[in-house]
Amino acid sequence: MSDALDHPLGRAREHRYWLTTSDGVGIDAALLRGSDPRTTAVVLANGFTGTRRNPHTRAIAEALYSAGDVLTFDFRGHHGSEGRSTVGNAEIHDLEAVLEQLRELGYTRVATVGFSMGAAVAIRHAAIFGGVDAVVAVSGPSRWYYRGTRQMRLLHVGIGRRVGRFFLRTFRKVHVIDRKWSVRPAEPREIAGEVAPAPLLVVHGDSDSFFPTTHATAIHGAAREPKDLWIEPGMGHAERAVTPDLTGRLRNWITERLHTGDPGT
């Protein structure tokens, strides 16, 4: 395989995969790749209610393609995948199933890029499972049960009440568990220090209506080097708020981390 950056990339095509997690949940995934095999890959992990089919996610995937082949997927309980969403707890098994598939396909260097809930999952996955070479957390929460904004209060109504779960199931194609966590998982701010030695980039908008920037600074402050923090002026929340300029800078950051010391470059 080669990841040389000095020649044009082949036309990318989407290859579908049906994955099964260690706890038996089916995950709908798609890999954007060209005809020439590469050794690097980028995984996009959507926020709550998000899907790999979302045009914002697809645009980000296409823009990051020059950094490596890009795998997108639906978390459990979301759209094309089986099961019920646990809103950031068991989803680490979904991400590990994705990483296992990429390893089987021959990828040796992988970056995970998570948005909102997906950011929390990416941090927890890297800290618990390891096996990633770079982590990007965009618009992520630093702690659970946050209700400090109107958007998060509404979200908790949607998750915690029957009528809210009906709305999510009917109009957003998201199935959510109808019970609380039996054991509280470690919060992103509690476990961010275990992401190293993989570099961690924390990205957050100062106009985020879900989580204030204190969540980003808490995660970054708890993480160990190598780490970076980007507070983006005027940026809102998660995938919808990612501009082409930001995507380009993310691509450059990921490329630098994935290709450093890679004999295939």
mmCIF file of all heavy atoms in Angstrom, residues 23 55 74 82 130 151 245:
data_model
loop_
_atom_site.group_PDB
_atom_site.id
_atom_site.type_symbol
_atom_site.label_atom_id
_atom_site.label_comp_id
_atom_site.label_asym_id
_atom_site.label_seq_id
_atom_site.Cartn_x
_atom_site.Cartn_y
_atom_site.Cartn_z
ATOM 1 N N ASP A 23 -20.806 -6.673 21.389
ATOM 2 C CA ASP A 23 -22.031 -7.010 22.120
ATOM 3 C C ASP A 23 -23.197 -7.301 21.174
ATOM 4 O O ASP A 23 -24.358 -7.261 21.575
ATOM 5 C CB ASP A 23 -22.395 -5.931 23.138
ATOM 6 C CG ASP A 23 -22.564 -4.550 22.525
ATOM 7 O OD1 ASP A 23 -22.163 -4.356 21.353
ATOM 8 O OD2 ASP A 23 -23.094 -3.649 23.194
ATOM 9 N N PRO A 55 -25.727 15.408 4.669
ATOM 10 C CA PRO A 55 -24.874 16.115 3.696
ATOM 11 C C PRO A 55 -23.685 16.812 4.330
ATOM 12 O O PRO A 55 -22.629 16.946 3.696
ATOM 13 C CB PRO A 55 -25.834 17.113 3.037
ATOM 14 C CG PRO A 55 -27.021 17.192 3.943
ATOM 15 C CD PRO A 55 -27.130 15.873 4.601
ATOM 16 N N ASP A 74 -23.221 4.784 11.169
ATOM 17 C CA ASP A 74 -24.299 5.193 12.070
ATOM 18 C C ASP A 74 -24.123 4.493 13.406
ATOM 19 O O ASP A 74 -23.975 3.267 13.454
ATOM 20 C CB ASP A 74 -25.665 4.820 11.480
ATOM 21 C CG ASP A 74 -26.051 5.681 10.297
ATOM 22 O OD1 ASP A 74 -25.410 6.734 10.088
ATOM 23 O OD2 ASP A 74 -26.993 5.298 9.577
ATOM 24 N N GLU A 82 -28.551 -1.178 13.961
ATOM 25 C CA GLU A 82 -29.450 -1.864 14.876
ATOM 26 C C GLU A 82 -29.308 -1.313 16.294
ATOM 27 O O GLU A 82 -28.494 -0.437 16.557
ATOM 28 C CB GLU A 82 -29.134 -3.364 14.893
ATOM 29 C CG GLU A 82 -29.379 -4.072 13.578
ATOM 30 C CD GLU A 82 -29.010 -5.536 13.651
ATOM 31 O OE1 GLU A 82 -28.247 -5.921 14.567
ATOM 32 O OE2 GLU A 82 -29.472 -6.305 12.780
ATOM 33 N N GLY A 130 -7.576 2.188 22.956
ATOM 34 C CA GLY A 130 -6.338 2.540 22.266
ATOM 35 C C GLY A 130 -6.436 2.169 20.790
ATOM 36 O O GLY A 130 -7.518 2.036 20.234
ATOM 37 N N GLN A 151 -30.773 24.134 24.863
ATOM 38 C CA GLN A 151 -30.690 23.002 23.943
ATOM 39 C C GLN A 151 -30.483 21.692 24.697
ATOM 40 O O GLN A 151 -31.082 20.663 24.352
ATOM 41 C CB GLN A 151 -29.547 23.216 22.942
ATOM 42 C CG GLN A 151 -29.765 24.387 21.991
ATOM 43 C CD GLN A 151 -30.752 24.044 20.878
ATOM 44 O OE1 GLN A 151 -31.559 23.139 20.993
ATOM 45 N NE2 GLN A 151 -30.698 24.792 19.792
ATOM 46 N N ASP A 245 -13.204 26.093 5.606
ATOM 47 C CA ASP A 245 -11.908 26.517 6.123
ATOM 48 C C ASP A 245 -11.475 25.644 7.297
ATOM 49 O O ASP A 245 -10.326 25.200 7.365
ATOM 50 C CB ASP A 245 -11.969 27.978 6.562
ATOM 51 C CG ASP A 245 -10.698 28.413 7.273
ATOM 52 O OD1 ASP A 245 -9.667 28.599 6.590
ATOM 53 O OD2 ASP A 245 -10.740 28.554 8.523
#
